[in-house]
Amino acid sequence: MLTDQGAKNWRLCCGSLPGSIREDTLGKDSRVVRTDVLVIGAGAAGIRAAIEAKKQGVETLLVAKGGLGESGSTFYPNGWGWGFQASLGIVDKKDTPGEHLQDILEASLDMCDESLAEILAREAPERIKDLIDYGLEFDKRNGEYVQNYGCFNKRPRAFIVTGMDKIRRFFTGAVRNHSIRVMQNTMVVDLILQEDTCVGAVGVDARGQVVVFEAKSVVMATGGGGNLFLFNLNTPDITGDGQAIAFRAGAELANLEFFQIGFGVLYPVEKTLFEGLLFRHKPRLYNGVQREFIKDYLPSGVDMEECFRFRAAHMPFSTRDVSKYIDIASFREVIEGRSGPHGGILIDLTNVSRGALRANPSEEAWWSQVKARGFDPTKELMEVTLHVHALNGGLRINERTETSVPGLYAAGEVAAGPHGADRPGGNMMPATQVFGARAGEFAAKRAKSMKRYCAKKKIAEELEVSIQQMMRRKDGVLVKDAKDRIQKIMWENVLVGRREENLAHCLSTLSRIEQRELPELAISNTDELFDALALSNMVQLGKMMVTAARARRESRGSHHRDDYPKMDKNAGRSVVFRREGEEITYHSEHL
Ligand SMILES: Cc1cc2nc3c(=O)[nH]c(=O)nc-3n(C[C@H](O)[C@H](O)[C@H](O)COP(=O)(O)OP(=O)(O)OC[C@H]3O[C@@H](n4cnc5c(N)ncnc54)[C@H](O)[C@@H]3O)c2cc1C
């Protein structure tokens, strides 16, 4: 069941940092940058939005916290490439957008916005054609495009791009070819509101200079929030900023309890995905005292071989089948202190032949990656643990990608709706392209009919003062220490096996960090600035994730409650968060 069906309130606390800045806020001098459409985030979604806005003939500015082609999950350096689901029916002639939609709905378990899922399935074929037209080379075999099955998909629909360098070159080239103005290494800290309408943003560059962006429309495309967790497969800039920033401005958030968790490698190649398909070889899993532990966790009647068979079918953890016992057992062994030397569990594939380990294209891609780093899994044991991979929930958007804040659009992993409790593998990339293109188009059309807001000269003082205070503070809280505490408490309590008492403990710890540590942060140089400014976003989003997980007293898809292990058919509505003045409320509804 879902608890607290009515609204629940608590106060919004932004630590030492500003909430969304009202136009009458006074500040000191700052650099002002003007544009029609401001796109925040330069992953696949932000770049696609910027291309579309530019094509509409409006001034477009792309701002990224990291470097172009380096920041965000789109360019995750330890990845092998991408899968992109689009029902063009090349390999399987019977595949249609309708079939694609059915797969999304089945994976979603009632948690997605069906109209957004339908748009995703219908428009993915057009958007992949755009990418091909722009010059992205998808893999071919014997002159035909390859299409693989992805997790939770019934037909071979995933187009493949192998090689992160190829992806990087393509997107940086696309930005250049469309003459899109870019500001890299610049972090947006808050949105600027004029009478509750978004009219720009305020940020800071890597040297610590505050920048005010004046814009007619703003697109949020800041990706997910993997760095809220100790172990994650995201680049370090992905800290849930967009979700928290837009929420402070009045946007709604939904489905925060659903995110993808999968095995990542701790040794010998850190922060690399463990290819889920390898579970089909039924590897031996040992804890730190060399005990094969999985069978200790299997209820009577559940067969270990069946667990491995299901586990090989999907990379992310899901409560939908018996494969869940592998993740639950592995996580519990680590949490209870029986981990290996690198903090994980050991996977033994040494009894599998090299040929068998490379029999499938996904395995082959994984094999090449680990071999390139000098590791041979047929000779040595690997150490793995659960890592956070991608969020399924985020900012609530409509079909035009509008959030509930006028002038603010959202696309890509930051946005909720197209995905639900589980997400079919290879569906986030099409989501970045389908909703990125829509966001760019609608934001540009709006910009054409709007006057540009003119920032008050001193609008950024609060941020400048906040930065100066952190720089001057001598014996304050170290950014690294506060970040470590947030990541550890989130990873230990909000992965699998969520329990009421653990979630309550996590929430109170986050509140304590927010109230006692964030106002006392000290930074010694500007290298720490982005991390320091991200901490309040991490805490605010983390608190809402925990609250959503607490409210959902059942297990569904990627959300596993140890104390409520079954799915409750009466809980098929999403948890939606809303800001009302200084209060945060949440309720449940169908998206
Ligand atoms: C290892 C791995 C493999 C994956 N494989 C697949 C796959 O095969 N198929 C699939 O569909 N999906 C896959 N995913 C998921 C998919 O890659 C991501 O969901 C997707 O790339 C997100 O794109 P995005 O543009 O929304 O965000 P990102 O690519 O994460 O980009 C976010 C951008 O926002 C910027 N940013 C963040 N905060 C701020 C701020 N405050 N101010 C300014 N800029 C900011 C970042 O610097 C970055 O430029 C995978 C994910 C991972 C981690």
Side-chain angles (χ1 to χ4, degrees):
M1 70 174 175
L2 283 174
T3 55
D4 303 311
Q5 306 279 340
K8 270 274 161 199
N9 302 337
W10 76 84
R11 278 187 69 76
L12 182 78
C13 175
C14 297
S16 60
L17 297 170
S20 295
I21 294 164
R22 302 266 148 189
E23 56 138 0
D24 53 355
T25 306
L26 294 179
K28 290 204 311 184
D29 288 340
S30 57
R31 193 171 141 211
V32 176
V33 179
R34 298 187 175 87
T35 185
D36 291 330
V37 174
L38 171 67
V39 180
I40 308 171
I47 292 175
R48 188 65 184 83
I51 290 174
E52 202 61 32
K54 198 74 208 289
K55 276 165 56 182
Q56 296 283 330
V58 299
E59 275 180 47
T60 304
L61 174 65
L62 187 59
V63 178
K65 191 171 167 184
L68 183 66
E70 291 165 5
S71 58
S73 293
T74 302
F75 307 110
Y76 188 65
N78 299 343
W80 57 265
W82 290 357
F84 187 117
Q85 299 281 344
S87 57
L88 282 168
I90 292 174
V91 169
D92 181 342
K93 307 281 180 249
K94 291 196 181 132
D95 193 25
T96 62
E99 298 275 327
H100 189 177
L101 175 61
Q102 276 315 309
D103 284 347
I104 299 174
L105 297 181
E106 275 176 37
S108 143
L109 298 169
D110 290 333
M111 289 295 114
C112 73
D113 177 328
E114 199 167 329
S115 64
L116 296 184
E118 192 275 328
I119 289 171
L120 174 62
R122 175 161 41 87
E123 294 185 4
E126 287 308 310
R127 297 293 77 85
I128 199 170
K129 284 183 196 161
D130 290 348
L131 289 174
I132 293 168
D133 286 350
Y134 297 154
L136 183 58
E137 289 173 8
F138 285 86
D139 294 3
K140 288 185 175 172
R141 199 178 300 131
N142 303 326
E144 280 291 1
Y145 285 112
V146 174
Q147 280 187 290
N148 287 347
Y149 287 91
C151 349
F152 310 123
N153 284 301
K154 291 205 193 61
R155 294 187 185 270
R157 186 182 298 127
F159 289 80
I160 304 295
V161 192
T162 306
M164 296 312 293
D165 277 346
K166 193 201 263 187
I167 291 170
R168 227 169 270 129
R169 273 198 309 276
F170 166 75
F171 275 103
T172 48
V175 169
R176 232 186 355 260
N177 295 342
H178 287 86
S179 308
I180 293 164
R181 194 155 59 119
V182 183
M183 277 180 74
Q184 310 180 65
N185 304 312
T186 302
M187 177 181 179
V188 166
V189 177
D190 263 306
L191 296 171
I192 302 173
L193 300 179
Q194 187 179 36
E195 291 166 6
D196 294 325
T197 294
C198 182
V199 291
V202 62
V204 59
D205 68 19
R207 290 165 301 143
Q209 188 187 13
V210 171
V211 188
V212 173
F213 300 96
E214 296 175 1
K216 295 175 181 170
S217 308
V218 175
V219 177
M220 192 63 84
T222 49
N227 282 281
L228 267 71
F229 299 87
L230 179 61
F231 295 111
N232 65 77
L233 294 168
N234 286 181
T235 51
D237 47 326
I238 301 305
T239 48
D241 295 352
Q243 293 86 337
I245 290 170
F247 184 76
R248 290 198 290 270
E252 291 180 346
L253 289 165
N255 280 348
L256 296 180
E257 67 276 39
F258 300 115
F259 47 90
Q260 291 191 325
I261 300 159
F263 283 98
V265 182
L266 294 172
Y267 174 85
V269 278
E270 244 193 324
K271 277 184 89 92
T272 307
L273 197 64
F274 177 78
E275 172 52 54
L277 201 56
L278 294 166
F279 280 115
R280 75 194 176 99
H281 302 294
K282 293 171 251 163
R284 294 206 172 93
L285 268 54
Y286 298 102
N287 64 15
V289 290
Q290 278 88 48
R291 180 177 164 78
E292 278 193 68
F293 56 88
I294 296 289
K295 58 183 178 316
D296 301 344
Y297 292 82
L298 299 185
S300 67
V302 174
D303 173 51
M304 186 134 81
E305 294 222 350
E306 200 188 359
C307 293
F308 280 123
R309 191 164 55 78
F310 276 106
R311 197 64 195 84
H314 47 85
M315 184 289 292
F317 164 76
S318 177
T319 55
R320 68 178 55 228
D321 57 49
V322 293
S323 72
K324 65 186 171 191
Y325 294 113
I326 294 179
D327 303 65
I328 292 168
S330 304
F331 188 63
R332 195 119 302 278
E333 288 298 300
V334 170
I335 287 291
E336 291 180 0
R338 293 181 292 279
S339 58
H342 299 90
I345 53 129
L346 295 118
I347 293 203
D348 185 356
L349 285 163
T350 56
N351 58 348
V352 186
S353 74
R354 285 179 181 202
L357 277 184
R358 307 171 58 177
N360 175 289
S362 305
E363 288 173 321
E364 174 66 38
W366 182 82
W367 172 271
S368 318
Q369 209 185 5
V370 292
K371 278 300 281 180
R373 289 158 189 237
F375 176 66
D376 185 345
T378 63
K379 295 212 171 105
E380 211 183 331
L381 267 55
M382 260 174 297
E383 211 168 318
V384 301
T385 197
L386 294 184
H387 285 59
V388 172
H389 182 251
L391 308 189
N392 292 355
L395 291 168
R396 193 171 183 191
I397 55 170
N398 63 16
E399 296 173 14
R400 297 161 60 91
T401 71
E402 292 160 330
T403 67
S404 36
V405 178
L408 179 64
Y409 300 75
E413 196 179 324
V414 76
H419 324 292
D422 282 319
R423 165 172 71 76
N427 255 5
M428 193 61 98
M429 277 303 156
T432 65
Q433 299 307 288
V434 167
F435 297 102
R438 282 180 166 247
E441 180 190 340
F442 291 118
K445 284 183 173 156
R446 179 180 192 277
K448 284 180 187 170
S449 65
M450 300 296 292
K451 284 205 187 108
R452 187 179 294 127
Y453 158 80
C454 188
K456 292 258 167 65
K457 191 169 162 241
K458 295 179 176 177
I459 198 152
E461 186 188 66
E462 212 174 332
L463 178 56
E464 285 171 349
V465 168
S466 184
I467 292 170
Q468 282 160 12
Q469 281 174 346
M470 286 193 285
M471 300 283 282
R472 285 199 202 111
R473 204 169 278 129
K474 288 283 170 267
D475 298 315
V477 175
L478 297 180
V479 174
K480 185 182 175 312
D481 290 351
K483 185 176 174 182
D484 286 352
R485 274 191 279 279
I486 296 166
Q487 291 182 321
K488 187 163 181 290
I489 196 85
M490 286 293 288
W491 187 78
E492 286 178 350
N493 296 289
V494 201
L495 249 63
V496 301
R498 298 166 179 176
R499 291 180 190 159
E500 170 57 26
E501 62 272 23
N502 295 8
L503 294 170
H505 166 64
C506 183
L507 194 57
S508 65
T509 306
L510 291 174
S511 295
R512 202 171 55 243
I513 292 171
E514 184 174 48
Q515 283 155 23
R516 297 202 192 145
E517 300 190 21
L518 299 194
E520 298 300 325
L521 287 178
I523 55 175
S524 50
N525 58 59
T526 48
D527 290 349
E528 294 175 319
L529 187 56
F530 288 2
D531 265 358
L533 292 169
L535 289 181
S536 64
N537 296 332
M538 290 167 67
V539 169
Q540 285 166 19
L541 181 60
K543 281 172 66 179
M544 286 187 274
M545 283 174 148
V546 175
T547 303
R550 245 180 127 181
R552 185 165 294 288
R553 292 188 175 175
E554 60 152 359
S555 292
R556 181 182 294 256
S558 55
H559 168 73
H560 174 238
R561 287 283 302 246
D562 208 30
D563 42 4
Y564 298 95
K566 292 212 165 69
M567 190 160 102
D568 176 355
K569 62 178 173 14
N570 297 316
R573 285 176 296 176
S574 295
V575 178
V576 178
F577 288 84
R578 183 177 296 157
R579 177 179 177 174
E580 285 166 11
E582 288 302 293
E583 305 288 324
I584 295 174
T585 66
Y586 68 87
H587 62 278
S588 62
E589 69 173 272
H590 291 293
L591 291 187

